[in-house]
């Protein structure tokens, strides 16, 4: 006669067995059923996904809100001044037309000529020093726009040059920035050891503070030097340094664009090139730390969600075989198995055995089924009566314990 494994559920809790010794038996109960634990794991995953979606949506909303705030502020600060400046220029234009008795068409030609000839007033732009300056502005994504290729082959080469040079430059800045952060970490740790601090560990916040301080130092140094060398005001010099080092590159203020400096003052050209390279390296180091910090916060949330899901899965009761419920019903083909095997019953004592009052069959535990106790039961027409009798025997045994 064929038999199959059965797991007993009393009061919606799966019974487990742990061997104390050869003559004693301890019944343990899971606090939650398989359905409850599976639902809990599903809820944890859903909450984690919902949290990530809310974070992404919040970033999108904050970005667009930030754009709207910027538009409103710039509108309030610049729009009126733009209208006044435009009206003033139109008046000056009309005065020049009347003074020199020229037509509007001729004046427009003069305007175009002045605009096109403006870059050449600063000297030759495409000799080696000027071309080197332009190449740096291309691969560093600054792109002032004060000087651009005019020939067909020059434009084609510029696109191909940028296609290969921009990734190379970005990787270089990132790599050097990481080395800088490593060096700062090493230096701070040794300083703490020299002064015998109790805690010598260096946090990301410490390194970020140092890199931001270096960025401020470079910005201040550039402001003072450019203010002196270019005859700019302090605010214009700060503005130029910030726009350059953040690779915005509007092009309204550009160094090396007067008195043929590109050919006559190579030392100043070298200083500008080093200022851009060193400044972008330090800024990249600070940006790496900021991005890493944001990713760390995100990964901590994901790790916490994974731990909750793992805990829910660990506590789940998984069954193997048919299930006898507390009201005498039988759930067939429960196929799930335990993920964690804390214990394995190997007890073969007589307290595991029970004799059926109807046909005298002996029901015994199967030690090959891990973690959840299973019983081999003969399949016949009297299963319901035997199930009730078996449950009554279980209650008696528990009362005796």
């Amino acid at each position: 006669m064929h038999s199959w494994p059965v797991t007993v559920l009393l009061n919606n809790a799966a019974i487990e067995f742990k061997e104390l010794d050869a003559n004693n038996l301890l019944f343990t109960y899971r606090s939650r059923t398989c359905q409850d634990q599976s639902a809990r794991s599903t809820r944890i995953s859903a909450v984690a996904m919902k949290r990530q979606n809310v974070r992404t949506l919040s970033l999108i909303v904050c970005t667009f809100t930030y754009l709207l705030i910027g538009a409103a502020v710039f509108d309030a600060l610049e729009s009126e001044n733009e209208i006044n400046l435009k009206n003033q220029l139109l008046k000056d234009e009309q005065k020049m037309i009347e003074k020199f008795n020229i037509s509007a068409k001729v004046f427009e030609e003069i305007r175009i000529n002045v605009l096109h000839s403006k870059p050449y007033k600063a000297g030759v732009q495409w000799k080696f020093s000027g071309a080197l300056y332009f190449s740096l502005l291309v691969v560093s994504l600054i792109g002032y726009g004060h000087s651009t290729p005019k020939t067909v082959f020059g434009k084609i080469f510029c696109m191909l040059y940028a296609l290969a040079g921009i990734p190379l430059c970005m990787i270089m800045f990132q790599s050097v920035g990481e080395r800088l952060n490593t060096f700062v970490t090493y230096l701070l740790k040794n300083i703490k050891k020299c002064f015998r601090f109790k805690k010598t560990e260096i946090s990301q916040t410490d390194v970020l503070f140092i890199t931001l301080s270096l960025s401020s130092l470079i910005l201040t140094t550039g402001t003072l030097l450019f203010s002196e060398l270019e005859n700019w005001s302090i605010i214009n010099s700060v503005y130029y340094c910030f726009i350059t080092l953040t690779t915005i590159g509007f092009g309204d203020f550009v160094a090396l664009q007067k008195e043929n400096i590109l050919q006559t003052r190579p030392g100043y050209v070298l200083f500008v090139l080093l200022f851009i390279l060193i400044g972008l390296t330090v800024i990249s180091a600070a940006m790496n730390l900021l991005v890493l910090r944001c990713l760390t916060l995100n990964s901590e949330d994901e790790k916490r969600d994974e731990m909750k899901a793992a805990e829910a899965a660990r506590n789940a009761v998984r069954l193997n075989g048919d299930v006898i419920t507390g009201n005498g019903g039988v759930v067939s083909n429960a196929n799930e198995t335990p993920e964690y095997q804390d214990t394995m019953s190997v007890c073969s004592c007589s307290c595991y055995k029970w004799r059926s009052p109807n046909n005298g069959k002996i029901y015994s535990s199967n030690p090959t089924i891990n973690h959840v106790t299973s019983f081999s039961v003969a399949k016949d027409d009297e299963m319901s009566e035997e199930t009730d009798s078996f449950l009554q025997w279980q209650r008696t045994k528990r009362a005796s314990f």
Side-chain angles (χ1 to χ4, degrees):
M1 185 176 296
H2 181 70
S3 62
W4 67 95
V6 175
T7 300
V8 179
L9 292 179
L10 296 179
N11 298 327
N12 291 328
I15 299 179
E16 294 177 345
F17 299 95
K18 293 183 180 179
E19 180 186 6
L20 294 180
D21 52 46
N23 298 314
N24 293 284
L25 181 68
L26 174 65
F27 290 90
T28 59
Y29 296 87
R30 290 288 188 185
S31 62
R32 295 180 177 85
T33 62
C34 297
Q35 294 82 0
D36 293 337
Q37 293 294 340
S38 178
R40 182 187 175 194
S41 179
T42 303
R43 286 196 301 270
I44 291 175
S45 299
V47 169
M49 182 63 67
K50 182 178 179 181
R51 185 184 298 113
Q52 294 176 0
N53 293 337
V54 169
R55 182 187 295 114
T56 302
L57 182 61
S58 300
L59 288 174
I60 295 174
V61 172
C62 289
T63 300
F64 279 96
T65 303
Y66 194 72
L67 292 175
L68 294 176
I69 293 174
V73 173
F74 284 123
D75 185 4
L77 295 175
E78 296 291 337
S79 60
E80 184 177 354
N81 180 72
E82 179 190 20
I83 295 173
N84 295 334
L85 183 59
K86 179 181 178 181
N87 293 333
Q88 184 62 40
L89 292 174
L90 289 176
K91 289 180 182 179
D92 295 340
E93 178 181 319
Q94 188 63 34
K95 288 180 181 180
M96 294 175 65
I97 292 175
E98 294 175 355
K99 180 179 180 180
F100 297 102
N101 194 21
I102 56 178
S103 64
K105 181 179 180 181
V106 174
F107 186 84
E108 184 65 23
E109 293 176 354
I110 295 174
R111 192 207 320 262
I112 294 174
N113 182 271
V114 170
L115 291 175
H116 287 174
S117 61
K118 182 180 178 180
Y120 306 106
K121 299 296 182 181
V124 180
Q125 296 287 330
W126 292 104
K127 289 298 182 180
F128 184 79
S129 58
L132 180 61
Y133 184 47
F134 174 81
S135 299
L136 176 60
L137 298 180
V138 169
V139 298
S140 62
L141 294 176
I142 297 175
Y144 290 130
H146 67 290
S147 180
T148 56
K150 298 298 188 293
T151 64
V152 175
F153 290 107
K155 294 176 181 178
I156 294 175
F157 178 75
C158 181
M159 291 186 289
L160 297 176
Y161 185 77
L163 191 62
I166 290 174
L168 176 62
C169 190
M170 295 298 101
I171 294 173
M172 185 271 293
F173 282 135
Q174 182 180 8
S175 180
V176 176
E178 290 177 355
R179 293 299 90 199
L180 178 61
N181 291 335
T182 303
F183 174 74
V184 170
T185 303
Y186 173 79
L187 188 62
L188 288 178
K189 184 177 293 186
N190 281 274
I191 290 176
K192 286 188 174 183
K193 288 182 179 179
C194 290
F195 287 95
R196 297 183 179 179
F197 282 88
K198 293 183 179 179
K199 185 178 180 181
T200 60
E201 295 297 326
I202 306 300
S203 64
Q204 293 181 359
T205 305
D206 298 331
V207 182
L208 181 61
F209 175 77
I210 297 298
T211 53
L212 290 178
S213 299
L214 290 175
S215 301
S216 301
L217 179 62
I218 292 175
L219 189 66
T220 303
T221 303
T223 298
L224 297 176
L225 291 176
F226 284 117
S227 177
E228 180 67 24
L229 297 173
E230 294 287 344
N231 295 323
W232 291 337
S233 64
I234 294 296
I235 184 62
N236 288 339
S237 186
V238 173
Y239 172 76
Y240 165 76
C241 293
F242 182 83
I243 295 300
T244 297
L245 296 182
T246 53
T247 69
I248 297 173
F250 287 134
D252 48 351
F253 288 90
V254 182
L256 305 176
Q257 297 301 302
K258 67 177 184 178
E259 299 175 359
N260 203 22
I261 291 179
L262 286 170
Q263 279 72 44
T264 59
R265 300 178 63 181
Y268 183 38
V269 175
L270 180 61
F271 164 75
V272 174
L273 296 177
L274 291 177
F275 170 78
I276 294 175
L277 288 172
I278 296 175
L280 289 178
T281 299
V282 177
I283 294 295
S284 297
M287 292 301 103
N288 284 339
L289 288 174
L290 288 175
V291 172
L292 181 62
R293 182 58 180 168
C294 294
L295 292 177
T296 301
L297 293 176
N298 189 30
S299 63
E300 287 177 355
D301 293 339
E302 293 179 355
K303 184 177 180 180
R304 184 163 51 249
D305 296 335
E306 291 176 357
M307 292 178 64
K308 290 181 179 179
E311 180 67 18
R314 188 181 69 84
N315 293 329
V317 179
R318 298 185 180 268
L319 309 177
N320 188 11
D322 293 346
V323 178
I324 302 176
T325 60
N327 57 7
V330 177
V331 180
S332 300
N333 299 325
N335 298 321
E336 301 187 26
T337 57
E339 293 185 359
Y340 293 86
Q341 300 180 8
D342 296 331
T343 59
M344 178 183 294
S345 176
V346 293
C347 180
S348 59
C349 57
S350 60
C351 60
Y352 273 74
K353 299 181 180 181
W354 164 77
R355 180 180 299 275
S356 171
N358 296 324
N359 53 17
K361 291 186 174 66
I362 297 177
Y363 296 77
S364 60
S365 63
N366 184 1
T368 62
I369 304 300
N370 295 338
H371 195 65
V372 179
T373 307
S374 301
F375 294 85
S376 296
V377 181
K379 183 177 180 181
D380 52 29
D381 297 336
E382 299 177 353
M383 173 58 66
S384 178
E385 295 180 3
E386 293 183 358
T387 299
D388 294 337
S389 177
F390 176 80
L391 293 175
Q392 181 62 35
W393 174 79
Q394 292 285 1
R395 296 189 186 98
T396 305
K397 295 294 292 182
R398 284 184 311 171
S400 65
F401 286 122

